[in-house]
Amino acid sequence: MSLKRGRRPKVLDLEAEYQQHLITLREMIGKPVPLSRSYTQGEQPILVAIEDGTATVRFLNGAVLTGVPIRDLVDDAAYWRG
């Protein structure tokens, strides 16, 4: 049985998906990341580090925000869906 591309299997391996997303996020360290608008409506901050399920980001004005839950590294305009 073959699955169509983009279709998810009936049973998800959440740990494997989490690990894959964590790898993708780690590759973004040092680059601008989308952040939920509950934090900011200005320029996107730079991802500095990821530890224990939280992120550290630095804004263009030099402010550093630690302890940001990884789930908040989203863009309200659906950045992660593409």
Side-chain angles (χ1 to χ4, degrees), residues 6 8 21 34 73-82:
R8 293 194 182 259
H21 288 293
L73 294 179
V74 298
D75 180 21
D76 298 328
Y79 177 88
W80 295 107
R81 291 185 196 160

Side-chain angles (χ1 to χ4, degrees), residues 2-79:
S2 66
L3 294 176
K4 291 182 181 178
R5 185 173 183 191
R7 181 174 269 188
R8 293 194 182 259
K10 289 183 181 181
V11 178
L12 293 177
D13 183 348
L14 296 179
E15 181 62 27
E17 285 214 14
Y18 169 77
Q19 291 301 324
Q20 182 57 45
H21 288 293
L22 195 55
I23 289 168
T24 301
L25 282 173
R26 289 190 189 283
E27 292 171 353
M28 296 178 72
I29 290 177
K31 300 176 185 174
V33 291
L35 188 62
S36 174
R37 290 188 184 161
S38 62
Y39 288 91
T40 180
Q41 291 187 352
E43 293 292 322
Q44 293 178 340
I46 303 297
L47 180 61
V48 176
I50 297 174
E51 286 188 43
D52 301 323
T54 63
T56 300
V57 297
R58 181 176 30 86
F59 292 90
L60 297 179
N61 67 1
V64 175
L65 184 59
T66 60
V68 177
I70 289 177
R71 70 177 177 272
D72 287 349
L73 294 179
V74 298
D75 180 21
D76 298 328
Y79 177 88

